[in-house]
Amino acid sequence: MPLTGIEIFKLLPKTNCGECGVPTCLAFAMNLAAGKAELSACPHVSDEAKAKLEEASAPPIRPVTIGVGDRALKVGGETVMFRHEKRFDNSPGFAILVTDTMDDSEVDARLEKFKKLEYERVGLILRPELVAVKDESGDASKFESLVNKVKQNSDGGIILMSSNPDVMAAGVKACADRKPLLYGANKDNLDGMAELAKGNSCPVAVKASDLEELTQLTTKLTEGGVNDIVLDSGSRTLRRAFEDQIWIRSAALNKKLRPLGFPTIVFPCEMTDDPMKEALIASVFVAKYGGIIVLSDFQGESLFPLLVERMNIYTDPQRPLATTEGIYEIGGPDENSPVLLTSNFSLTYFIVSGEIEGSKVPSYLLVKDTEGLSVMTAWAAGKFVADVIAPFVKKSGIGDKVKHRKLVIPGYAAAESGGLEEELPDWEVQVGPREGAHIPAYLKSWKP
Ligand code: SF4
């Protein structure tokens, strides 16, 4: 729970010197509580008070970043148990496994899949984020050369998996600049792994045999100055691992148990040999509450549904996905191509643009900003009616792109056709299909 203004005030010097930009410490405390000021603005706050305030304002589940640049993955930082309370913020990363005892051809095939398996959906690119590189041989040089290969052939984040600090050191040497996740510190190697994590500013994953041991290990790590931690409760059955995820999230959020206030890593790849079952297990952890989900391999038919599930769960339930307003050219249209109009609800855009593309009739699609509402909802809310559509059509510039003046509006907005013809006297308004599936047949018979 964040501190109230009064609680913060009690920790301030109470001299009312005004150096923070407001006349009194109380005013400053209120601003801090409201997130309108930074603690650093007060030069007189004691170190002890600073530590208390920083601790109180820290998120209950620490965000941890793996990797660098555009492909860096941020996990953790969640503040709620249930999506409907607010939203889930940082979606889990999917990792594909490669090991140093695999044939080169198998490693190459997996790295190729990692690169190729990406999908566009509602204007977003969905793809996996991580390659988990596992030491099975115990041979540091073999491990290092596999890590080098992964680094050269993928720009994703890397998880280094070894329980031997010497082997891990070889892997870290090869890819420290990519800020890999070091998996796994345990009760036997904690000091060695902590040293590597600290020395290379890398996050470290901790594996324990149960939650009590996990708590002890993370406490030791944080006392030693390692703060970027990922948790593995050690469970390898669906039921136990599922219970652990819920327990960890609840302990961090509801009981403020700092030693468990970190994102988690789960291993569906170690829970079954059946690829379909593995995907089902992974889907459970997308919903509850895996931070990193390691899969034995990627198959398009199971990865795609997992990526879509993740996208749906990690969108803001209070805000519909929206596409940018504008003219979308589909299939290379020209001056005689049809002009269709729709709303900017992403799912509507995705369906309509997909049907136009499938029709093979090059077309212009005008997408009107309806604040992410679908055609019918926007129409009912007065956001997809003649007097708001007409100014958009005029300003969009579509008149310069086509010779004809025919505008196809969605069947669900048919009631606006008369009003639109009044507002757009140069245009003939045509009522298109209600359902996206009927667009191809409609377009094939459309004449300029
Ligand atoms: Fe109070 Fe610090 Fe602001 Fe001075 S600078 S008024 S001590 S909060």
Side-chain angles (χ1 to χ4, degrees):
M1 280 281 267
L3 293 181
T4 64
I6 297 299
E7 286 166 334
I8 295 172
F9 173 66
K10 287 179 188 163
L11 296 166
L12 293 176
K14 301 184 199 69
T15 57
N16 300 333
C17 71
E19 287 179 47
C20 55
V22 289
T24 64
C25 294
L26 182 61
F28 182 65
M30 293 302 169
N31 283 348
L32 262 184
K36 292 182 192 158
E38 297 282 330
L39 183 60
S40 55
C42 171
H44 306 297
V45 68
S46 70
D47 288 345
E48 193 192 344
K50 205 183 274 178
K52 275 190 193 162
L53 286 166
E54 277 169 0
E55 199 192 318
S57 60
I61 297 177
R62 186 180 171 86
V64 173
T65 301
I66 298 147
V68 290
D70 293 347
R71 301 289 308 262
L73 172 74
K74 187 173 165 194
V75 289
E78 302 301 339
T79 54
V80 291
M81 289 295 292
F82 305 105
R83 179 177 175 265
H84 63 260
E85 291 176 70
K86 191 176 153 222
R87 61 165 293 169
F88 292 162
D89 286 303
N90 297 307
S91 53
F94 290 110
I96 188 169
L97 188 70
V98 295
T99 76
D100 62 0
T101 53
M102 265 177 196
D103 289 344
D104 277 354
S105 57
E106 180 61 27
V107 172
D108 292 341
R110 289 183 186 210
L111 292 178
E112 194 56 22
K113 280 187 214 171
F114 179 78
K115 229 187 279 175
K116 289 245 168 85
L117 289 176
E118 61 171 45
Y119 310 87
E120 191 183 341
R121 177 119 178 146
V122 290
L124 301 171
I125 300 294
L126 310 183
R127 62 184 172 197
E129 292 75 19
L130 299 156
V131 181
V133 190
K134 188 174 183 185
D135 153 44
E136 280 185 347
S137 67
D139 180 333
S141 63
K142 251 183 141 181
F143 186 58
E144 185 180 345
S145 82
L146 179 61
V147 175
N148 270 318
K149 181 175 201 167
V150 169
K151 188 180 162 185
Q152 281 156 20
N153 290 285
S154 97
D155 59 352
I158 298 173
I159 305 172
L160 298 176
M161 296 179 66
S162 177
S163 53
N164 179 334
D166 295 332
V167 176
M168 181 62 85
V172 174
K173 194 173 94 193
C175 69
D177 56 333
R178 294 271 285 268
K179 297 288 169 235
L181 172 66
L182 315 190
Y183 177 96
N186 57 38
K187 63 179 175 14
D188 300 320
N189 65 16
L190 196 74
D191 292 342
M193 290 293 182
E195 206 175 300
L196 278 171
K198 249 173 102 172
N200 294 281
S201 308
C202 292
V204 63
V206 189
K207 182 181 180 184
S209 53
D210 55 40
L211 294 176
E212 200 179 324
E213 186 181 272
L214 196 57
T215 306
Q216 290 161 3
L217 294 178
T218 58
T219 303
K220 273 191 199 162
L221 278 173
T222 49
E223 284 171 357
V226 178
N227 293 307
D228 286 334
I229 297 170
V230 173
L231 308 175
D232 175 6
S233 68
S235 299
R236 294 296 184 266
T237 63
L238 175 58
R239 181 179 173 163
R240 274 281 314 276
F242 177 71
E243 284 171 356
D244 287 352
Q245 296 304 306
I246 292 172
W247 213 94
I248 289 170
R249 171 74 58 104
S250 173
L253 295 188
N254 301 330
K255 299 194 169 64
K256 311 288 174 248
L257 195 58
R258 287 275 178 215
L260 293 182
F262 299 98
T264 62
I265 184 168
V266 288
F267 292 87
C269 60
E270 294 180 12
M271 297 183 191
T272 177
D273 293 328
D274 176 346
M276 193 46 71
K277 204 167 164 193
E278 186 181 324
L280 286 171
I281 293 171
S283 75
V284 170
F285 294 122
V286 170
K288 300 241 180 237
Y289 294 114
I292 296 167
I293 299 170
V294 184
L295 298 169
S296 58
D297 197 1
F298 288 160
Q299 306 298 340
E301 64 270 26
S302 53
L303 182 66
F304 177 66
L306 287 172
L307 291 168
V308 173
E309 180 199 3
R310 179 178 73 172
M311 180 189 75
N312 288 331
I313 290 189
Y314 280 79
T315 50
D316 186 342
Q318 296 165 52
R319 252 204 257 164
L321 278 175
T323 305
T324 311
E325 178 175 279
I327 304 174
Y328 289 77
E329 299 188 1
I330 301 170
D334 61 22
E335 57 192 16
N336 294 313
S337 298
V339 177
L340 295 94
L341 175 76
T342 193
S343 79
N344 80 330
F345 176 40
S346 280
L347 198 55
T348 302
Y349 166 76
F350 178 70
I351 291 169
V352 172
S353 60
E355 294 294 348
I356 296 173
E357 209 172 323
S359 75
K360 305 266 184 274
V361 178
S363 305
Y364 292 101
L365 180 59
L366 291 185
V367 174
K368 169 78 187 87
D369 181 1
T370 54
E371 297 171 23
L373 299 178
S374 65
V375 169
M376 266 189 87
T377 318
W379 176 75
K383 296 178 195 300
F384 200 74
V385 291
D387 54 354
V388 292
I389 294 170
F392 160 65
V393 173
K394 284 180 197 160
K395 265 198 227 151
S396 70
I398 190 65
D400 301 331
K401 290 182 182 279
V402 289
K403 273 201 309 200
H404 65 80
R405 290 291 180 267
K406 290 180 179 172
L407 176 67
V408 181
I409 64 169
Y412 283 116
E416 295 305 308
S417 62
L420 267 174
E421 281 192 331
E422 270 177 36
E423 300 276 345
L424 298 169
D426 300 340
W427 288 78
E428 177 190 333
V429 176
Q430 302 177 331
V431 177
R434 285 181 159 223
E435 302 302 330
H438 300 151
I439 288 175
Y442 177 85
L443 286 179
K444 279 177 189 151
S445 61
W446 187 89
K447 298 269 180 303

